[in-house]
């Protein structure tokens, strides 16, 4: 898990270098309208939804593929970085960002499945917290590197894209060389009666005949060949996971809450407009979110293991509501950006890894990547729609009206999510506790 965390740390340095300067590059450098930026931002944050199920499915088919599917995703994203040097209009930039997010979509579910399968149910929240903390350390260094490059070079944006590519290549090499092909997590133990288990198409586990049920004439059990190995996971089996009430609730909540979650780039643009932050300092705004995420990811992951992951997940959205409320007030004090970015980072620390820990409890091992991809797909599609809607609302009615509408929508979705809690959880570590 630490090696995988190192890969995420290095890759996030690369991706966040680009993310930190992209809003200013597109809006100020290329002169895009908020609607045009909303389209590109939606592609950047939501396009991966189209391939997450494919990435999860490919990783689940044939046991040790999680690493290699994730590796292909990392490599594809790395290859897109230098192409940004050649694109200066909406269409080519959109295509490059779509390819970059395709790589992210392919790698995310297999990576999270590796983390889930490497941990026990009792420590899964902490495991995701440790990984997200390392991942966020990269998100902390990336904007700082971008800021230093912009100040030290003449063609600052081109230099940022070039260095980002070099760092991404290092991340791919670390994955190939140091992340093991298999995981040593807690596996499902065989039954005491030595019955073999197999997976049904809907993801449930069923037993083949035990030794006592063998035919007295042949000494073999009926359908013994089908009981020896589990069938290869299929997309149909992955989609059938939505028949599980717990996973369906989690996916629905992730989708609804994602519809009202304003993207990071818009939050930073809103802060810049409220406070008049100079362009040269814009790349430092993501540092506040990343620092709070880094400090809180592990403590909130442990808290989720103890008091219930669903409670912590919803509390994270409460922190995001407070951040939106602060942006809507007339307060212009020097503490405003610190408070907003702290709450923003707290939101991610309480939701990002915790959501995957919640979903893991409702998905069998052999379909772990596919099940997590279902949840991630719903969330990513919802955030894609939110970026488009927020950009359109900003263009038509102004940033304040757009943020007010998103705040009201998020509050309503969070209240609805409270009604979807499981009525009688058996233990906090069961996910929807």
């Amino acid at each position: 898990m630490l090696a995988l965390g190192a890969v995420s740390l290095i890759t996030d340095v690369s991706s966040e270098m680009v993310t930190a300067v992209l809003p200013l590059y597109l809006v100020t450098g290329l002169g895009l309208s908020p609607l045009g930026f909303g389209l590109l931002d939606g592609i950047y944050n939501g396009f991966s939804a189209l391939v997450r199920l494919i990435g999860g499915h490919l990783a689940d088919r044939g046991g040790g593929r999680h690493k290699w599917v994730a590796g292909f995703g990392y490599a594809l994203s790395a290859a897109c970085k230098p192409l940004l040097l050649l694109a200066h209009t909406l269409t080519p930039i959109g295509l490059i960002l779509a390819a970059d997010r395709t790589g992210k979509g392919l790698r995310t579910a297999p990576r999270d499945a590796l983390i889930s399968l490497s941990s026990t149910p009792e420590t899964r929240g902490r495991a995701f917290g440790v990984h997200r903390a390392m991942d966020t350390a990269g998100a902390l260094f990336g904007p700082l590197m971008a800021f230093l490059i912009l100040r030290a070079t003449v063609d600052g944006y081109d230099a940022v894209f070039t260095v980002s590519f070099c760092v991404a290549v290092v991340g791919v090499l670390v994955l190939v060389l140091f992340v093991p092909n298999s995981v040593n997590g807690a596996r499902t133990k065989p039954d005491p009666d030595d019955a073999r288990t197999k997976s049904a198409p809907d993801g449930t586990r069923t037993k083949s005949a035990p030794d006592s049920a063998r035919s007295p004439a042949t000494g073999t059990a009926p359908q013994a060949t089908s009981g020896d190995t589990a069938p290869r996971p299929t997309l149909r089996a992955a989609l059938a996971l939505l028949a599980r009430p717990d996973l369906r609730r989690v996916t629905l909540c992730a989708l609804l809450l994602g519809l009202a979650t304003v993207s990071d780039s818009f939050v930073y643009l809103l802060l810049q407009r409220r406070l008049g932050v100079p362009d040269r300092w814009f790349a430092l705004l993501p540092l506040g979110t990343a620092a709070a995420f880094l400090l809180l990811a592990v403590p909130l992951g442990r808290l989720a293991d103890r008091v219930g992951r669903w409670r912590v997940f919803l509390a994270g959205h409460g922190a995001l509501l407070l951040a939106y409320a602060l942006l809507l007030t007339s307060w212009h004090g020097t503490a405003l950006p610190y408070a907003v970015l702290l709450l923003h980072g707290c939101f991610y620390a309480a939701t990002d890894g915790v959501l995957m820990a919640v979903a893991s409890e409702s998905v069998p091992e052999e379909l772990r990547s596919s099940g997590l991809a279902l949840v991630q797909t719903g969330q990513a599609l919802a955030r894609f729609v939110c970026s488009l809607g927020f950009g359109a609302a900003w263009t038509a009615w102004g940033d304040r009206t757009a943020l007010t509408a998103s705040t009201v929508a998020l509050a309503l979705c969070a209240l609805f999510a409270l009604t979807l809690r499981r009525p009688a959880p058996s233990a906090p570590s069961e996910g929807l506790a």
Side-chain angles (χ1 to χ4, degrees):
M1 186 179 68
L2 292 178
L4 195 59
V7 174
S8 293
L9 188 155
I10 296 170
T11 303
D12 243 39
V13 170
S14 170
S15 62
E16 292 300 324
M17 287 176 65
V18 175
T19 302
V21 302
L22 197 60
L24 200 63
Y25 174 65
L26 296 176
V27 175
T28 302
L30 300 184
L32 289 182
S33 67
L35 178 58
F37 175 72
L39 175 62
L40 288 181
D41 189 68
I43 291 173
Y44 192 74
N45 291 291
F47 193 85
S48 61
L50 300 178
V51 294
R52 291 196 187 207
L53 283 176
I54 297 175
H57 172 65
L58 292 175
D60 284 333
R61 288 178 66 90
R65 292 188 181 178
H66 295 85
K67 169 183 173 178
W68 300 113
V69 173
F72 178 78
Y74 281 114
L76 179 59
S77 292
C80 292
K81 299 299 189 297
L83 296 180
L84 289 171
L85 296 169
L86 308 175
H88 301 286
T89 57
L90 183 64
T91 300
I93 291 176
L95 292 175
I96 293 169
L97 294 182
D100 178 81
R101 294 299 91 180
T102 296
K104 180 176 176 60
L106 289 174
R107 71 180 183 251
T108 300
R111 180 203 65 195
D112 285 346
L114 282 172
I115 299 169
S116 175
L117 294 171
S118 299
S119 58
T120 64
E122 295 77 14
T123 62
R124 195 160 286 145
R126 182 179 62 184
F128 275 101
V130 170
H131 174 268
R132 293 313 195 256
M134 296 183 70
D135 183 82
T136 308
L140 189 66
F141 291 124
L144 183 59
M145 288 184 64
F147 169 74
L148 295 175
I149 291 172
L150 286 176
R151 288 182 62 87
T153 59
V154 177
D155 298 323
Y157 293 117
D158 290 350
V160 169
F161 299 149
T162 302
V163 175
S164 172
F165 167 68
C166 296
V167 175
V169 170
V170 174
V172 174
L173 292 176
V174 172
L175 175 74
V176 172
L177 296 176
F178 298 104
V179 174
N181 289 319
S182 59
V183 294
N184 298 318
R187 299 292 185 183
T188 304
K189 295 181 180 180
D191 293 335
D193 59 0
D194 198 31
R196 296 185 181 275
T197 60
K198 62 179 181 178
S199 300
D202 64 352
T204 58
R205 299 182 70 85
T206 58
K207 293 181 181 179
S208 62
D211 291 341
S212 59
R214 295 180 181 274
S215 168
T218 64
T220 59
Q223 302 177 347
T225 56
S226 65
D228 288 340
T229 57
R232 299 178 72 183
T234 64
L235 284 175
R236 183 177 180 181
L239 293 174
L241 290 171
L242 289 176
R244 295 169 173 255
D246 285 353
L247 187 64
R248 189 167 61 246
R249 292 188 189 103
V250 171
T251 305
L252 178 60
C253 286
L255 190 152
L256 289 176
L257 292 167
L259 285 172
T261 302
V262 178
S263 76
D264 300 355
S265 297
F266 277 123
V267 171
Y268 303 142
L269 286 173
L270 287 167
L271 264 179
Q272 185 200 32
R273 291 195 168 209
R274 282 285 308 278
L275 302 174
V277 177
D279 291 352
R280 66 180 182 274
W281 297 104
F282 182 84
L284 293 181
L285 291 178
L287 291 179
T289 297
F293 193 172
L294 175 63
L295 293 174
L296 296 174
V298 175
L300 289 181
R302 290 177 175 173
L303 180 66
D305 287 334
R306 291 199 302 269
V307 306
R309 293 164 189 157
W310 197 242
R311 294 188 182 97
V312 173
F313 177 73
L314 292 179
H317 286 85
L320 186 62
L321 275 173
L322 289 176
Y324 291 173
L326 287 177
L327 286 172
L328 289 171
T329 63
S330 58
W331 181 34
H332 287 77
T334 55
L336 176 63
Y338 300 101
V340 170
L341 295 176
L342 174 62
L343 290 168
H344 199 225
C346 181
F347 158 70
Y348 277 113
T351 59
D352 191 21
V354 172
L355 177 61
M356 292 298 97
V358 170
S360 295
E361 299 302 329
S362 304
V363 182
E365 288 185 7
E366 60 272 16
L367 290 171
R368 187 63 52 82
S369 289
S370 299
L372 297 184
L374 282 173
V375 180
Q376 294 165 354
T377 296
Q379 185 180 60
L381 283 174
R383 291 183 176 178
F384 174 78
V385 172
C386 183
S387 288
L388 292 179
F390 191 86
W394 186 335
T395 302
W397 303 307
D399 54 353
R400 188 176 184 85
T401 301
L403 184 59
T404 300
S406 294
T407 303
V408 173
L410 181 59
L412 293 175
C413 290
L415 288 174
F416 179 75
L418 286 172
T419 68
L420 296 180
R421 291 175 59 186
R422 191 165 55 193
S426 58
S429 63
E430 292 285 334
L432 291 177

